[in-house]
Amino acid sequence: YFKTLIVRISDKYGHSPTYSAAELSKQVFTNKSSMTKQYQACSNGQLSFTPALDGADIVNGVVDLVVDNDLSYSGFSHQECVSAADNAITLNYDVGTAHTYIMYICPDVVDFGIAAGVAEIGGKKSWFKNEFSSYPYVQMHELGHNLVFFHSGEGAAEYGDPTGIMGGYYNTDVNFGKMCFNAAKTWAT
């Protein structure tokens, strides 16, 4: 089991993610089509994400925090959003230490360029632009990077492989809750 912490980031100027802490917890851990349920299905029950619960400020795997920075400041990047959250955690929040992965949810005003989310390859951090934080396929893709999966390309296209979640061709109308990793990455899980 991978203990996972969700960090819902707001600023003192009223910029917040759309989804509440309770909604984010359900979308990641418990809903029928949650990231956790999808990873369990894709790995035949071998890979599971559970809520981190060891810090006093964590509720159902989520810490709901407020940063001092104005996240709407022109060009405020996703890296700066996460840095501000980490600083706030260090100074004001008890999130414990027993978590394997941290999912940061930034509000819409934060600049992600064209990305829906970003993650450290082989690291423990992933961060999500507000509206994409509830999409299981985006969550799976970014946590896939934490699990050391790279993009699934085809030819010269970095995201060109339509057969797995690490490719970029995911049609939510057709594949919602049905796509896993391609054969090579499934073997690795």
Side-chain angles (χ1 to χ4, degrees):
Y1 292 94
F2 293 117
K3 299 285 185 188
T4 305
L5 173 65
I6 302 169
V7 179
R8 183 180 181 273
I9 305 165
S10 302
D11 69 18
K12 63 183 181 180
Y13 302 97
H15 304 106
S16 298
T18 304
Y19 297 102
S20 70
E23 290 170 318
L24 287 168
S25 180
K26 288 177 186 175
Q27 291 164 349
V28 172
F29 301 115
T30 61
N31 283 356
K32 179 181 174 185
S33 60
S34 70
M35 177 194 79
T36 295
K37 301 267 195 263
Q38 191 63 26
Y39 261 112
Q40 289 171 342
C42 289
S43 68
N44 292 316
Q46 299 299 304
L47 189 59
S48 188
F49 294 85
T50 60
L53 300 172
D54 67 315
D57 293 314
I58 299 173
V59 177
N60 296 323
V62 182
V63 61
D64 203 352
L65 61 79
V66 177
V67 299
D68 289 331
N69 308 69
D70 181 354
L71 299 176
S72 70
Y73 180 75
S74 179
F76 203 86
S77 72
H78 56 279
Q79 294 100 329
E80 292 168 310
C81 179
V82 169
S83 178
D86 284 341
N87 288 338
I89 288 169
T90 299
L91 297 173
N92 302 313
Y93 295 89
D94 175 10
V95 298
T97 58
H99 41 269
T100 311
Y101 296 111
I102 306 173
M103 301 171 70
Y104 296 88
I105 315 300
C106 299
D108 278 331
V109 295
V110 174
D111 184 9
F112 273 74
I114 62 169
V118 180
E120 300 170 331
I121 301 287
K124 65 189 268 180
K125 295 181 180 181
S126 58
W127 39 102
F128 301 83
K129 186 170 184 172
N130 175 46
E131 69 268 23
F132 298 103
S133 65
S134 68
Y135 295 7
Y137 69 91
V138 175
Q139 297 166 358
M140 287 181 69
H141 179 96
E142 297 309 333
L143 271 285
H145 287 310
N146 293 145
L147 294 167
V148 196
F149 293 156
F150 295 90
H151 292 145
S152 293
E154 189 170 293
E158 181 179 4
Y159 293 97
D161 179 1
T163 65
I165 203 76
M166 297 310 288
Y169 297 108
Y170 192 83
N171 182 336
T172 57
D173 295 333
V174 175
N175 300 316
F176 188 77
K178 297 179 183 175
M179 187 173 275
C180 292
F181 297 94
N182 67 16
K185 289 179 175 58
T186 297
W187 180 258
T189 59

